[in-house]
C-alpha cells in the first residue's frame, strides 16, 4: 500500500506523559471536545510524516480495560470497535510492572500495539535499566524508548507506527494463564465465537470470568446461556484457588507482568535519596506538609486573582470605552442598546475567561503534571471525605472562593462522573468574590461585619449540608481514594500552554453564545418595557414570600449575568446607594441569602454545561433557584418572628 | 478484627506501622452501600493482588489516607479502603 492515512490511538496509565507525546506529535493541529454524549474529554490531532497523514486520538489515562470508570469503557470500546490502525501504548519505564499489566490487556484485546517506553530519564535516575530488545521479543511488539519532554525517540516511534500500520503486527504474544483457567477460557471462547460478538472472543471470555458488567449485559442479550456458563466456570475457579475468580485472573496477569520485568529490568538503587524523594517527604510531612501547601496555594491563588482582577479591569475599561461611540452612532436608540448588550455579553465573557480561566488552567496543569496535586489530595483527603469527596476536590473548592467558573472547569480532575457532579454542585454554592462583595457591601456595611461573617459561616454550613445530602442521594459507590503519587518532575511548559489554549477555545465556544444570548435577552426585555411587568409578575415571590420590595425582582434577573450586578442594579433601580434608607435589615439579610444561592451566574452555567452536560446543568440551576427562594422565605419569617429586625 | 488464615495472623493494613511490610492476603468487601466489585477490581488493577508485598510508607494525619509502596508504585489509599485490605505482617511469614 502507498501513502495513506493512519489512525492512531494513544493509550496508557495516567501520569505517563501521554499528553506530552500527543502535543509533541500534533502541535497546533488539535481539537479538544467531548466524547459524544459523554463528559469525558476527547483530544484529537493530526500530523503529517513521510507523506502519511496520521490522525491521533489521545485516550483518557486509565489503569485497566475493565469497566471501573467511564474512561475505561470509552477507551476499550474505541480500541475494540473503531479498530484504530495502531494503538500506541505509552508506558512509564520507571514503574514498568504496573504499566505492563495494562499492556497485557491491550494484547488480549488483540490491538495492534506499539509501545512507547517513556520517562526513560526518570527510570535512569531511579537506577533502572531496561533491555528493550528483550522486551520486544517477550511481548512480540515493537518498543520505542522515549523521553517525551525532551522530544527524544519520537521519530523512531513514528517509524514503528508506520511499520505496524503497513505490515501488521509482528507476532503478538498471547498471555497464557494457569491450565485450569485456560481450559475454561477456551470453553467460553468457543461459545462466544458462535455468538458473533464485537469484542474478540478470547478477550470477552476472560472478561466474563472477571465478572465484567458491560460484557455480561451485552452477551446475555445474544445468548444468556453463555453468561450463566461463565458464572459456573468462575465459581469452579474460585473453588480451586480459594480466592474470587476476578482476583485470581488479575493475580496471574500481574504475575506475567512481573515475570517479564524480572527478565528485562535491572535496578541499582542510588545511594542517596534524590531531590524528588526529599521533596516528596517534605510535601507529605505530617506537620510541615500543611503550611507548605497553604503557602503554595495561597500565593498561587493570590497571584492569579490579583493579576486576573487587574487584567479584567483593564479589559473592561478598554471595552467600555466603546459605549459612547456606539451610543453616538445609533443616537441612543433601541438598536444601539441591543448592539451594546451583545458587546456587554462579550465583555462579561472576556473579562472572566481570559484573566481568570487562562492562568487557572496553566496552574492546574502545572500542579497536576508536576505531581503536587496528588500530594495535596493526600493531605486533604480526610476533610473532603466528610462531603463524600476525596482529596482532589480540594483544589476546585478552594478556587471557587475566587470564581466559580474555573472551579467548575477544574472539577474534571475528579475520576468518576458521580464525583465530578458532586464536586461541581458544591463549587457552584461556594460564595465567589462577587458574592462576597454583596455580603460585605450590603450586610457588612449596614448591619456590621459580625453579621456578614455570620452569613458567610451560614453559607458554608448550608454548602456542607447540601453536599452531604446530595452525596447520600446520588446513586453509585461512595468515593474511595486510590491514587498514584507519581514521581515529582518538572512540567513540560509547552504542553501546559497548549493544553490551556485549546481548552480555553473550547470554553469560549460554549460560553460566549450563552452569555451573549443572555445579555441580549435581558436588554430586549428592558427595551420592550417589560421590566415592570416582570417585577409585578415576580412579586408573589419577591414581595409576598420573601418580603422584599418588588423592584428587587429585576436586580435578581440582572444578577444572572454577573452576581455583583444585583447590588449595582439595586442601587440604580432604587435611585440611591444608601441601602439603609430603602431596605430594612431583614430585607438586606434575605436579599443577600437569595443572591448567594439563587442561581449560578451565566458564565458558571456555561462551565457547568461543558463539564456535566445540559441536563445536569439545568437541574443544578433549577434546584438552586427553588432552594434560594425557599431558604430566603424561611429566613424572612424566622427573622420577623424573632423580632430581630425593625 | 484479627482473623486466622492458615495459622498466620491477618490484620487490616491500617494496623501496620510506618515502615512495616505486609503481604496482601485478601480484600474484604465492606458493608454499606455500593457493590464491592468496583473498588476491589480497582485495587487489583493497581497491583494489590493476593500475595503482593506492600510497604506502609506513612499515613496522613487526622486519620487520613496511607501512603504505600506496591510493585514499585507509590499509592495513596483512603483509610476506609485500607481497613478492608488484610495483610500478613512480613516478619510473621
Amino acid at each position: 500500500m502507498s501513502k495513506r492515512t493512519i489512525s492512531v490511538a494513544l493509550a496508557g496509565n495516567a501520569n505517563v506523559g501521554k499528553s506530552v507525546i500527543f502535543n509533541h506529535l500534533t502541535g497546533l493541529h488539535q481539537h479538544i471536545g467531548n466524547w459524544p454524549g459523554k463528559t469525558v474529554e476527547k483530544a484529537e490531532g493530526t500530523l503529517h510524516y513521510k507523506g502519511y497523514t496520521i490522525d491521533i486520538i489521545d485516550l483518557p489515562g486509565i489503569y485497566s480495560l475493565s469497566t471501573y470508570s467511564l474512561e475505561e469503557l470509552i477507551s476499550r470500546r474505541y480500541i475494540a470497535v473503531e479498530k484504530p490502525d495502531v494503538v500506541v501504548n505509552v508506558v512509564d519505564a520507571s514503574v514498568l510492572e504496573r504499566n505492563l499489566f495494562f499492556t497485557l490487556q491491550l494484547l488480549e484485546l488483540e490491538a495492534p500495539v506499539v509501545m512507547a517506553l517513556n520517562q526513560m530519564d526518570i527510570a535512569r535516575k531511579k537506577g533502572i535499566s531496561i533491555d528493550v530488545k528483550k522486551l520486544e521479543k517477550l511481548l512480540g511488539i515493537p518498543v520505542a524508548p522515549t523521553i517525551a519532554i525532551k522530544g527524544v525517540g519520537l521519530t523512531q516511534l513514528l517509524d514503528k507506527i508506520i511499520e505496524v500500520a503497513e505490515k501488521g503486527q509482528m507476532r503478538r504474544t498471547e498471555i497464557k494463564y494457569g491450565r485450569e483457567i485456560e481450559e475454561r477460557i477456551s470453553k467460553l471462547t468457543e461459545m462466544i465465537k458462535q455468538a458473533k460478538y464485537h469484542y474478540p472472543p478470547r478477550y470477552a471470555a476472560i472478561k466474563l470470568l472477571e465478572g465484567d458488567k458491560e460484557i455480561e449485559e451485552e452477551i446475555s442479550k445474544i445468548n444468556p446461556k453463555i453468561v450463566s456458563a461463565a458464572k459456573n466456570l468462575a465459581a469452579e475457579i474460585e473453588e480451586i484457588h480459594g480466592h474470587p475468580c476476578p482476583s485470581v485472573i488479575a493475580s496471574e496477569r500481574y504475575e506475567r507482568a512481573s515475570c517479564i520485568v524480572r527478565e528485562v529490568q535491572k535496578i541499582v538503587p542510588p545511594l542517596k535519596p534524590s531531590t524528588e524523594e526529599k521533596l516528596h517527604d517534605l510535601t507529605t510531612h505530617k506537620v510541615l506538609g500543611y503550611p507548605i501547601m497553604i503557602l503554595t496555594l495561597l500565593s498561587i491563588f493570590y497571584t492569579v486573582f490579583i493579576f486576573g482582577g487587574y487584567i479584567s479591569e483593564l479589559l473592561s475599561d478598554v471595552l467600555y470605552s466603546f459605549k459612547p461611540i456606539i451610543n453616538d452612532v445609533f443616537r441612543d436608540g433601541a438598536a444601539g442598546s441591543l448592539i451594546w448588550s451583545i458587546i456587554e455579553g462579550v465583555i462579561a465573557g472576556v473579562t472572566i475567561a481570559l484573566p481568570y480561566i487562562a492562568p487557572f488552567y496553566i496552574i492546574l496543569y502545572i500542579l497536576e503534571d508536576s505531581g503536587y496535586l496528588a500530594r495535596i489530595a493526600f493531605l486533604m483527603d480526610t476533610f473532603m471525605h466528610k462531603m463524600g469527596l476525596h482529596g482532589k476536590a480540594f483544589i476546585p473548592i478552594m478556587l471557587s472562593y475566587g470564581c466559580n467558573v474555573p472551579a467548575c472547569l477544574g472539577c474534571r480532575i475528579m475520576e468518576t462522573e458521580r464525583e465530578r457532579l458532586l464536586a461541581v454542585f458544591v463549587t457552584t454554592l461556594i460564595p465567589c468574590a462577587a458574592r462576597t462583595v454583596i455580603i460585605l457591601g450590603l450586610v457588612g456595611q449596614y448591619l456590621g461585619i459580625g453579621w456578614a461573617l455570620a452569613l458567610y459561616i451560614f453559607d458554608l454550613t448550608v454548602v456542607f449540608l447540601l453536599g452531604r445530602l446530595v452525596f447520600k442521594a446520588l446513586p453509585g459507590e461512595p468515593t474511595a481514594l486510590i491514587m498514584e503519587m507519581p514521581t515529582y518532575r518538572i512540567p513540560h511548559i509547552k504542553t501546559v500552554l497548549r493544553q490551556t489554549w485549546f481548552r480555553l477555545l473550547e470554553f469560549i465556544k460554549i460560553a460566549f453564545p450563552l452569555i451573549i444570548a443572555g445579555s441580549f435577552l435581558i436588554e430586549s426585555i428592558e427595551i420592550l418595557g417589560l421590566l415592570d411587568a416582570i417585577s409585578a409578575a415576580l412579586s408573589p415571590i419577591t414581595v409576598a414570600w420573601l418580603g422584599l420590595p418588588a423592584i428587587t425582582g429585576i436586580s435578581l434577573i440582572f444578577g444572572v449575568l454577573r452576581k455583583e450586578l444585583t447590588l449595582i442594579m439595586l442601587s440604580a433601580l432604587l435611585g440611591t446607594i444608601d441601602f439603609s434608607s430603602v431596605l430594612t435589615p431583614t430585607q438586606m439579610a434575605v436579599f443577600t441569602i437569595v443572591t448567594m444561592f439563587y442561581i449560578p451566574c451565566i458564565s458558571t452555567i456555561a462551565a457547568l454545561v461543558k463539564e456535566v452536560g445540559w441536563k445536569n446543568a439545568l437541574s443544578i440551576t433549577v434546584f438552586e433557584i427553588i432552594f434560594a427562594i425557599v431558604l430566603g422565605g424561611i429566613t424572612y419569617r424566622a427573622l420577623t418572628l424573632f423580632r430581630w429586625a425593625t | 478484627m484479627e482473623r486466622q488464615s492458615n495459622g498466620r495472623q491477618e490484620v487490616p493494613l491500617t494496623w501496620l506501622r510506618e515502615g512495616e511490610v505486609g503481604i496482601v492476603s485478601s480484600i474484604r468487601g465492606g458493608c454499606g452501600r455500593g457493590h464491592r466489585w468496583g473498588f476491589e477490581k480497582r485495587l487489583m488493577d493497581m497491583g494489590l493482588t493476593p500475595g503482593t508485598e506492600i510497604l506502609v510508607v506513612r499515613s496522613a494525619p487526622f486519620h487520613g489516607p496511607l501512603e504505600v509502596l506496591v510493585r514499585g508504585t507509590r499509592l495513596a489509599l483512603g483509610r476506609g479502603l485500607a481497613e478492608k485490605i488484610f495483610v500478613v505482617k512480613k516478619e510473621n511469614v
Side-chain angles (χ1 to χ4, degrees):
Chain A
M1 228 187 280
S2 63
K3 312 298 180 195
R4 57 171 184 132
T5 304
I6 300 173
S7 60
V8 172
L10 296 180
N13 291 180
N15 310 309
V16 295
K18 231 158 39 69
S19 50
V20 180
I21 290 188
F22 177 73
N23 275 285
H24 252 297
L25 295 180
T26 58
L28 293 171
H29 304 279
Q30 44 175 286
H31 172 75
I32 312 284
N34 278 357
W35 289 85
K38 302 283 183 339
T39 55
V40 177
E41 192 175 274
K42 183 183 191 181
E44 293 167 284
T46 311
L47 139 97
H48 299 280
Y49 180 74
K50 289 189 178 169
Y52 291 90
T53 303
I54 305 180
D55 288 328
I56 303 181
I57 192 156
D58 188 13
L59 295 174
I62 48 176
Y63 292 97
S64 175
L65 284 174
S66 45
T67 45
Y68 176 76
S69 66
L70 204 55
E71 280 81 357
E72 293 183 357
L73 207 58
I74 287 173
S75 303
R76 180 168 91 180
R77 275 209 203 123
Y78 184 80
I79 294 168
V81 181
E82 302 290 320
K83 295 203 193 317
D85 296 323
V86 179
V87 175
V88 174
N89 176 207
V90 185
V91 159
D92 181 352
S94 70
V95 272
L96 191 56
E97 188 173 330
R98 207 206 50 234
N99 279 262
L100 281 181
F101 179 78
F102 182 77
T103 311
L104 294 180
Q105 292 186 64
L106 280 178
L107 295 179
E108 280 177 351
L109 198 50
E110 295 171 21
V113 185
V114 171
M115 182 185 284
L117 191 59
N118 197 29
Q119 312 205 134
M120 290 297 277
D121 51 338
I122 294 180
R124 202 163 304 141
K125 255 190 207 157
K126 286 188 181 170
I128 297 171
S129 60
I130 295 168
D131 185 342
V132 176
K133 281 269 158 298
K134 205 167 191 181
L135 185 61
E136 278 190 332
K137 216 181 118 223
L138 288 173
L139 291 170
I141 57 170
V143 177
T146 56
I147 305 172
I149 57 165
K150 291 183 187 144
V152 174
L154 295 180
T155 41
Q156 287 89 326
L157 175 66
L158 283 171
D159 290 336
K160 292 197 165 153
I161 290 172
I162 290 170
E163 205 185 303
V164 169
E166 290 290 3
K167 294 183 195 149
Q169 192 88 73
M170 297 153 69
R171 27 138 230 107
R172 197 186 306 112
T173 310
E174 189 164 270
I175 317 116
K176 289 280 180 215
Y177 295 89
R179 203 154 54 89
E180 72 290 352
I181 300 173
E182 276 300 330
E183 277 169 12
R184 290 170 176 84
I185 291 175
S186 347
K187 258 189 217 164
L188 270 181
T189 309
E190 284 310 313
M191 293 173 85
I192 295 166
K193 264 183 194 160
Q194 282 154 17
K196 299 213 189 325
Y197 182 51
H198 58 264
Y199 283 107
R202 182 179 159 86
Y203 176 80
I206 295 169
K207 284 294 152 185
L208 277 184
L209 289 177
E210 284 187 273
D212 189 291
K213 295 277 173 288
E214 188 214 18
I215 290 182
E216 264 178 22
E217 250 167 56
E218 288 186 356
I219 289 196
S220 69
K221 274 184 206 142
I222 306 170
N223 184 357
K225 274 188 196 146
I226 299 178
V227 178
S228 51
K231 290 226 160 92
N232 289 335
L233 293 172
E236 287 169 28
I237 292 173
E238 181 162 351
E239 183 89 356
I240 297 169
H241 285 263
H243 285 292
C245 185
S247 117
V248 174
I249 291 182
S251 297
E252 291 219 8
R253 198 180 289 131
Y254 253 111
E255 190 44 46
R256 284 305 306 261
S258 90
C259 264
I260 295 172
V261 170
R262 274 199 297 274
E263 285 203 44
V264 300
Q265 176 180 285
K266 278 198 189 70
I267 307 185
V268 188
L271 294 174
K272 276 196 295 189
S274 62
T275 324
E276 289 86 356
E277 284 294 309
K278 281 187 216 155
L279 202 57
H280 170 77
D281 287 341
L282 198 64
T283 46
T284 51
H285 192 272
K286 280 188 172 50
V287 184
L288 290 174
Y290 289 93
I292 290 174
M293 178 187 79
I294 290 166
L295 275 178
T296 315
L297 290 179
L298 274 184
S299 54
I300 288 175
F301 291 149
Y302 190 71
T303 319
V304 168
F305 287 114
I306 292 290
F307 174 80
Y310 176 73
I311 299 286
S312 176
E313 219 164 274
L314 211 64
L315 278 174
S316 66
D317 279 354
V318 170
L319 291 167
Y320 272 111
S321 68
F322 289 111
K323 191 166 184 176
I325 302 171
I326 299 254
N327 282 344
D328 250 16
V329 172
F330 293 93
R331 304 189 191 288
D332 296 322
S337 302
L338 280 179
I339 288 178
W340 178 249
S341 76
I342 293 173
I343 297 173
E344 186 135 43
V346 175
I347 295 176
V350 166
T351 50
I352 292 175
L354 301 179
Y356 293 111
I357 298 177
F360 157 73
Y361 264 135
I362 294 175
I363 288 164
L364 186 69
Y365 285 121
I366 290 179
L367 283 179
E368 196 172 18
D369 289 358
S370 64
Y372 191 43
L373 187 62
R375 275 72 182 184
I376 294 174
F378 179 73
L379 290 176
M380 294 309 293
D381 190 58
T382 312
F383 304 101
M384 290 296 112
H385 231 87
K386 303 255 187 292
M387 256 188 283
L389 287 164
H390 65 61
K392 279 189 184 175
F394 180 63
I395 298 287
I397 287 179
M398 184 155 173
L399 265 168
S400 33
Y401 285 98
C403 178
N404 287 180
V405 179
C408 277
L409 299 173
C411 288
R412 69 168 44 241
I413 54 176
M414 309 305 295
E415 280 95 355
T416 64
E417 205 160 14
R418 178 179 188 272
E419 287 167 54
R420 207 169 297 148
L421 200 57
L422 187 53
V424 153
F425 175 67
V426 172
T427 55
T428 61
L429 288 169
I430 286 180
C432 62
R435 279 177 263 188
T436 309
V437 165
I438 297 169
I439 297 176
L440 289 176
L442 203 58
V443 177
Q445 182 86 18
Y446 295 102
L447 305 181
I449 201 72
W451 282 102
L453 202 65
L455 264 187
Y456 213 76
I457 292 169
F458 174 71
D459 182 298
L460 290 186
T461 320
V462 170
V463 170
F464 181 77
L465 290 176
L466 275 182
R468 271 203 80 86
L469 201 74
V470 174
F471 160 57
K472 299 269 184 216
L474 270 182
E477 275 182 69
T479 50
L481 184 73
I482 312 175
M483 176 187 65
E484 189 190 355
M485 292 207 267
T487 313
Y488 271 122
R489 66 210 144 157
I490 294 165
H492 189 240
I493 293 303
K494 240 178 162 175
T495 302
V496 168
L497 291 178
R498 279 199 195 129
Q499 281 175 324
T500 303
W501 171 243
F502 287 108
R503 274 152 199 83
L504 197 63
L505 281 186
E506 174 75 6
F507 176 74
I508 288 172
K509 259 196 287 178
I510 293 178
F512 274 43
L514 200 60
I515 298 171
I516 291 169
S519 174
F520 188 79
L521 187 73
I522 291 175
E523 191 63 33
S524 311
I525 291 172
E526 193 178 1
I527 289 172
L528 293 172
L530 292 175
L531 280 183
D532 289 330
I534 286 176
S535 62
L538 287 177
S539 65
I541 294 170
T542 46
V543 179
W545 171 246
L546 295 172
L548 295 170
I551 206 84
T552 50
I554 298 166
S555 77
L556 286 175
I557 288 176
F558 273 93
V560 177
L561 288 183
R562 296 164 78 167
K563 287 259 168 142
E564 63 267 39
L565 278 182
T566 48
L567 204 58
I568 296 166
M569 282 307 293
L570 196 63
S571 76
L573 292 166
L574 293 171
T576 176
I577 47 164
D578 180 18
F579 293 111
S580 62
S581 67
V582 281
L583 292 175
T584 65
T586 311
Q587 286 176 326
M588 286 185 193
V590 171
F591 183 75
T592 308
I593 285 177
V594 172
T595 313
M596 281 196 297
F597 293 111
Y598 80 111
I599 191 173
C601 69
I602 197 147
S603 307
T604 309
I605 295 176
L608 280 174
V609 170
K610 182 175 184 302
E611 291 308 317
V612 293
W614 278 103
K615 233 176 85 190
N616 288 323
L618 201 66
S619 326
I620 290 177
T621 309
V622 170
F623 170 81
E624 287 179 8
I625 293 174
I626 295 172
F627 179 76
I629 292 171
V630 171
L631 192 67
I634 293 170
T635 314
Y636 166 57
R637 280 166 183 76
L639 289 180
T640 316
L641 200 66
F642 289 120
R643 299 199 169 277
W644 166 75
T646 49
Chain B
M1 228 25 191
E2 287 171 48
R3 297 170 200 248
Q4 298 296 123
S5 162
N6 302 336
R8 292 165 308 176
Q9 196 183 41
E10 281 183 45
V11 296
L13 186 62
T14 44
W15 285 26
L16 261 55
R17 274 189 294 263
E18 289 179 10
E20 284 186 331
V21 177
I23 289 178
V24 179
S25 55
S26 62
I27 292 164
R28 316 252 151 129
C31 38
R33 298 147 22 97
H35 51 95
R36 42 186 275 184
W37 191 79
F39 83 85
E40 265 187 42
K41 186 76 184 69
R42 176 70 158 179
L43 286 174
M44 298 286 151
D45 290 342
M46 298 303 273
L48 279 113
T49 52
T52 312
E53 269 191 24
I54 180 166
L55 163 70
V56 176
V57 180
R58 80 185 84 229
S59 71
F62 309 111
H63 226 62
L66 297 185
E67 178 192 335
V68 298
L69 199 67
V70 182
R71 297 180 192 268
T73 309
R74 210 197 302 270
L75 293 180
L77 297 177
R79 184 159 294 258
L81 202 67
E83 275 163 4
K84 290 173 187 154
I85 302 168
F86 281 78
V87 297
V88 176
K89 244 198 245 180
K90 188 77 184 286
E91 68 218 20
N92 298 341
V93 175

